[in-house]
Amino acid sequence: MKTRAITGFFFIIVMLGSVLLGHYPFGIFYLVLCLLCLHEFYGLNIKSGIQPNRAAGFINAVLIYGIFAFITYQDSPLLHKLLFLITISISAIFIQELFKLSVSPFTNIAYTLGGLVLVCLPFTFFHALAYVKGAFNFHFPLAFLLMLWSNDTGAYLVGRAFGRTKLFERHSPKKTWEGFIGGVLIAAIVGFIISLYFTDLPWNQWVSIAIIIGCFGTLGDLVESMFKRSINIKDSGGILPGHGGLLDRFDGFLIAAPIVYTYLYFVVNV
């Protein structure tokens, strides 16, 4: 427990620092984090006997994250043309399988692309949160993290104290409806508190974002649990002592980040 608490403390400090230090540290930090999570995802597949094309996956992840990061920072026709590089790099994943001796080439292709969808795209959308109103604004990614953590903590504490009814036992036996509801309510309270300091949005929209994070963050957690169970692995890694792997810490990103960005994009630009 002591190791878990110390790791969690330093992890939170690093995460908050990456958001508050400005445009370049923010972008670079989450690109590195994206690649580490992707490395973990592909490593788990390899342990289960699948052979994703890691090199092609990393190249595509850098292109997808990098090009969209530059577009959100400073949109220009040249950057839109660079998007077509992704068509070439994605095609390379299929072409390379032609030259490999594999009994299940399309399984390898599917998991290579799956890593980009499951890991790279959520980090890309999370990075874009800072630019949803144009110029860099740390309020949105910071608020996202605070509400996500409050939902996770609330769900754990309420579920441990009052949890009786299983939420989705097939994929996550410890999760309960009571914990889920408690997590969403606590995230909503944190969302309201955030609205008192970050006046970019009215309080009801911050609370709406908190509810979205609570619902879809939980779904992301379940998706990651489903993935680990499908390959018969408990923890995604051991890079964080007492916490498991990076994917275990960022499972709430998987669905919540794209959904929250989509919500903000249409709310801010109406």
Side-chain angles (χ1 to χ4, degrees):
M1 183 63 70
K2 183 178 179 181
T3 301
R4 180 181 177 88
I6 293 172
T7 303
F9 174 77
F10 283 104
F11 178 75
I12 290 173
I13 294 298
V14 171
M15 292 286 291
L16 293 179
S18 67
V19 173
L20 297 173
L21 287 176
H23 166 71
Y24 289 110
F26 176 69
I28 293 170
F29 178 79
Y30 281 95
L31 173 59
V32 172
L33 213 50
C34 171
L35 294 177
L36 288 173
C37 287
L38 191 61
H39 173 74
E40 201 169 83
F41 176 83
Y42 288 150
L44 293 175
N45 289 319
I46 290 171
K47 286 182 180 179
S48 66
I50 301 164
Q51 296 296 320
N53 192 321
R54 287 194 288 186
F58 292 140
I59 292 171
N60 276 281
V62 171
L63 284 174
I64 292 170
Y65 182 99
I67 293 174
F68 279 101
F70 281 117
I71 288 175
T72 56
Y73 177 61
Q74 186 177 9
D75 200 357
S76 73
L78 175 61
L79 292 173
H80 283 274
K81 291 177 182 178
L82 289 178
L83 285 172
F84 289 97
L85 289 175
I86 298 175
T87 62
I88 299 172
S89 59
I90 291 289
S91 299
I93 296 174
F94 292 84
I95 295 169
Q96 286 179 328
E97 282 297 324
L98 292 173
F99 299 93
K100 291 172 61 178
L101 296 176
S102 173
V103 296
S104 53
F106 275 90
T107 299
N108 300 336
I109 292 170
Y111 276 88
T112 304
L113 296 175
L116 298 176
V117 174
L118 187 68
V119 178
C120 179
L121 289 184
F123 276 96
T124 301
F125 276 104
F126 177 75
H127 175 270
L129 283 176
Y131 304 91
V132 72
K133 295 186 74 172
F136 176 78
N137 183 350
F138 71 86
H139 289 179
F140 293 111
L142 178 58
F144 181 97
L145 292 175
L146 293 176
M147 289 185 282
L148 181 66
W149 292 337
S150 63
N151 173 72
D152 290 344
T153 303
Y156 173 76
L157 295 176
V158 174
R160 187 172 182 180
F162 306 105
R164 298 292 183 273
T165 311
K166 299 298 182 182
L167 176 64
F168 216 127
E169 190 171 7
R170 181 157 56 95
H171 295 304
S172 188
K174 294 182 180 180
K175 279 187 170 44
T176 63
W177 277 103
E178 293 83 358
F180 166 69
I181 294 170
V184 172
L185 289 176
I186 291 174
I189 292 171
V190 171
F192 177 76
I193 295 171
I194 287 172
S195 73
L196 302 178
Y197 298 93
F198 296 167
T199 57
D200 311 79
L201 299 173
W203 71 268
N204 59 318
Q205 290 181 357
W206 281 118
V207 171
S208 297
I209 292 170
I211 294 171
I212 291 171
I213 290 173
C215 294
F216 288 98
T218 301
L219 287 173
D221 191 338
L222 290 170
V223 167
E224 202 247 356
S225 295
M226 178 175 66
F227 164 65
K228 289 189 296 184
R229 286 181 177 276
S230 71
I231 58 176
N232 199 28
I233 288 176
K234 181 180 180 182
D235 292 325
S236 65
I239 193 172
L240 298 173
H243 288 264
L246 286 171
L247 281 176
D248 293 325
R249 294 304 94 207
F250 288 97
D251 48 15
F253 267 59
L254 302 181
I255 301 177
I259 297 294
V260 168
Y261 178 83
T262 302
Y263 174 83
L264 276 173
Y265 180 83
F266 286 105
V267 166
V268 169
N269 291 285
V270 291

